[in-house]
Amino acid sequence: MTLYGRRRFIISGSEAPNIKSLIDSKPEWSASFHSTSSCDIPNLVYCDIDIYDKNTIVSVTINSERVCSYLKDDSWVVEGDELKNQVFMSPDDHEAHLKKLFDTNHDNDNE
Amino acid sequence: MAFPPFQSGPDPNAQSSTSAGSGRNSLMHQAWGSIYSRHVALLGGSLLYGFNIGHANYNYDDAEGYFTRFNYHHSVSPKPFDAIGGGGTGTLIQKKYYSSGLTNLRRKNEQYEATPAGSTINTNGYVTEIRNGRNSSQEVYTLGYHNEAITDCVMCSATPGSVWHCTWYGRKSNSSPSNQQTVRASMLLFSLGYNSGTNKYVFTHSGYSSGGDTGASTITSPKTGGSYYTKQVTLTTSWTKYEMTVQFPNAATCPDIVALSARMDVDDGGGSGTPTKTYWDRPTLHLVNTNLTDSQTTTDISLGDNPGGIYY
């Protein structure tokens, strides 16, 4: 079967069995569950649901414990974890960064 | 360890594994962005592309989720956040650029208006500035949240019973009069119905009611009881994160909910032609209770019309 795509949700551990039983009843869909502890998020589960048949209806409402966004570069932002995303630049990138700032008109930042 | 990347399988219709609209970049989590859309996170794709909304092939979300940014579209000011109501000398809404000092967040690169906007994690970037030239306890507010056409109002699709999580960072100016007085600000979320007679989206749909202030609602304990909500905060001169989670009524109470809009208020002006200044950074909006029922289309490769509907 063709894998059409995947959707991801961060859920509580107690909800995982309910989702699994629903998804397991539809062979065209599958769900895998992983601890978020490896992503520095304690005590939750992220659930990847794979869809192999776009015409199959699976009636399930998933209540997210955390919300996340998918980005164009295939990375994810988990709401509330922004401060962990520290930025480190190479010297060349930093120089370009400074030039960009220098070239950009802006107001008094401290106002 | 970073959150694992998206690893969808190949799509037989994909132009390439990384092209926009490929299977690899479809079926994303909840929201989609478009370099052409007036509603960055409006459910786009081919379903609405025919109405000049969204882009047929861009369907990834960004750190903002469904929340529309103030200006993201070349020289065209996107609605709803391009005009402000309430009056007052000096009242305005505009972008403001910070070269430093912002909270280290991922946000869209709105400074590159001539090119497709990406997003980066940084302490510089554009935020939204709202000034209130009225008196204390008199509000100004962003327009385009009610009784507007879809291109001027709607932020994204919504359904009865849906739960939404909204966050933003806010502060007030260090300069007078903002630093000398109380400056309150509010975020409002409205469920919308569609009036086919006027072709407008309104929050005064059947069964509408105010849910009041959301208080200390959380993602696991949303505020309930209304079809629109507000969260009022008292700003400080430091960047502070605020959040609200709300649930719209079910279909028995509000059967006509089809969309969602937002409004930003500044509730205290400086008076005497010296407006208060407030700054709003990186608003986000995400659907919490995602419904996977809306998961099929047999004849059209398009997005389902429910929030969280699946995009092919």
Side-chain angles (χ1 to χ4, degrees):
Chain A
M1 290 187 289
T2 299
L3 176 61
Y4 282 92
R6 172 174 293 172
R7 309 195 73 198
R8 175 172 293 165
F9 308 90
I10 300 177
I11 59 176
S12 67
S14 61
E15 184 157 347
N18 299 328
I19 296 173
K20 185 176 187 307
S21 63
L22 282 167
I23 300 298
D24 283 351
S25 68
K26 301 287 185 179
E28 300 86 355
W29 293 50
S30 69
S32 59
F33 300 88
H34 316 272
S35 170
T36 55
S37 60
S38 61
C39 318
D40 298 328
I41 302 171
N43 302 324
L44 293 174
V45 171
Y46 74 87
C47 165
D48 283 337
I49 296 180
D50 293 338
I51 298 95
Y52 291 91
D53 184 345
K54 63 185 180 182
N55 299 320
T56 296
I57 296 175
V58 175
S59 182
V60 55
T61 297
I62 295 175
N63 292 298
S64 302
E65 290 289 315
R66 302 283 290 273
V67 292
C68 54
S69 297
Y70 172 72
L71 307 176
K72 191 178 181 182
D73 62 2
D74 278 355
S75 62
W76 295 79
V77 169
V78 179
E79 175 60 32
D81 280 5
E82 303 93 337
L83 300 182
K84 296 177 181 176
N85 297 326
Q86 300 298 313
V87 176
F88 299 97
M89 290 184 171
S90 69
D92 288 345
D93 287 343
H94 186 237
E95 184 176 352
H97 173 68
L98 294 177
K99 183 178 186 307
K100 180 184 70 179
L101 296 180
F102 181 79
D103 290 341
T104 304
N105 293 325
H106 57 84
D107 299 331
N108 177 5
D109 296 331
N110 296 320
E111 187 179 10
Chain B
M1 175 183 170
F3 209 54
F6 179 75
Q7 295 175 338
S8 184
D11 180 347
N13 299 316
Q15 297 168 352
S16 73
S17 62
T18 57
S19 65
S22 73
R24 184 164 176 264
N25 283 344
S26 63
L27 291 163
M28 292 299 103
H29 184 78
Q30 299 183 352
W32 292 265
S34 164
I35 60 172
Y36 302 111
S37 173
R38 289 188 173 191
H39 311 279
V40 172
L42 181 68
L43 299 187
S46 57
L47 182 67
L48 295 173
Y49 188 48
F51 298 99
N52 297 318
I53 298 169
H55 185 278
N57 294 324
Y58 271 92
N59 46 23
Y60 64 93
D61 52 346
D62 215 322
E64 288 83 358
Y66 282 99
F67 208 100
T68 306
R69 292 303 299 263
F70 174 64
N71 191 328
Y72 186 36
H73 308 274
H74 300 229
S75 60
V76 178
S77 290
K79 296 176 179 180
F81 302 122
D82 67 344
I84 193 154
T89 302
T91 293
L92 60 78
I93 182 170
Q94 63 183 8
K95 290 193 303 181
K96 176 182 172 65
Y97 185 71
Y98 279 77
S99 63
S100 63
L102 299 182
T103 306
N104 196 31
L105 302 172
R106 181 176 289 277
R107 59 175 68 76
K108 289 194 176 72
N109 300 325
E110 294 180 324
Q111 64 268 46
Y112 300 120
E113 293 178 1
T115 58
S119 61
T120 54
I121 303 166
N122 221 322
T123 56
N124 64 281
Y126 279 101
V127 304
T128 298
E129 175 181 349
I130 299 177
R131 299 183 184 183
N132 183 344
R134 302 182 74 195
N135 294 325
S136 180
S137 300
Q138 293 184 332
E139 68 179 10
V140 298
Y141 50 91
T142 56
L143 296 173
Y145 64 93
H146 165 63
N147 200 29
E148 301 276 4
I150 188 170
T151 52
D152 297 339
C153 179
V154 171
M155 184 174 290
C156 65
S157 296
T159 55
S162 54
V163 180
W164 297 88
H165 181 64
C166 177
T167 73
W168 71 98
Y169 287 75
R171 64 179 288 264
K172 64 179 181 179
S173 170
N174 283 323
S175 62
S176 180
S178 304
N179 62 349
Q180 303 292 323
Q181 67 172 79
T182 297
V183 181
R184 294 165 299 173
S186 302
M187 179 74 79
L188 291 84
L189 295 178
F190 297 89
S191 60
L192 301 176
Y194 176 62
N195 184 334
S196 59
T198 60
N199 198 30
K200 300 288 181 63
Y201 288 80
V202 299
F203 78 86
T204 52
H205 51 74
S206 176
Y208 80 100
S209 67
S210 170
D213 196 286
T214 61
S217 62
T218 63
I219 193 169
T220 54
S221 181
K223 176 73 171 176
T224 62
S227 62
Y228 65 96
Y229 298 89
T230 184
K231 182 181 177 69
Q232 187 182 60
V233 299
T234 299
L235 300 175
T236 72
T237 55
S238 299
W239 286 112
T240 303
K241 184 177 184 179
Y242 302 106
E243 64 180 290
M244 62 194 291
T245 309
V246 303
Q247 182 168 27
F248 294 142
N250 59 29
T253 303
C254 291
D256 300 327
I257 293 173
V258 295
L260 179 154
S261 67
R263 191 179 97 177
M264 294 178 282
D265 292 7
V266 178
D267 300 316
D268 294 291
S272 304
T274 53
T276 54
K277 298 178 182 177
T278 65
Y279 307 107
W280 306 62
D281 185 24
R282 223 296 291 276
T284 72
L285 180 67
H286 289 87
L287 182 65
V288 174
N289 58 344
T290 304
N291 191 324
L292 289 180
T293 301
D294 181 45
S295 61
Q296 76 157 350
T297 176
T298 56
T299 58
D300 181 22
I301 300 176
S302 63
L303 184 70
D305 58 4
N306 281 341
I310 286 177
Y311 184 98
Y312 298 121

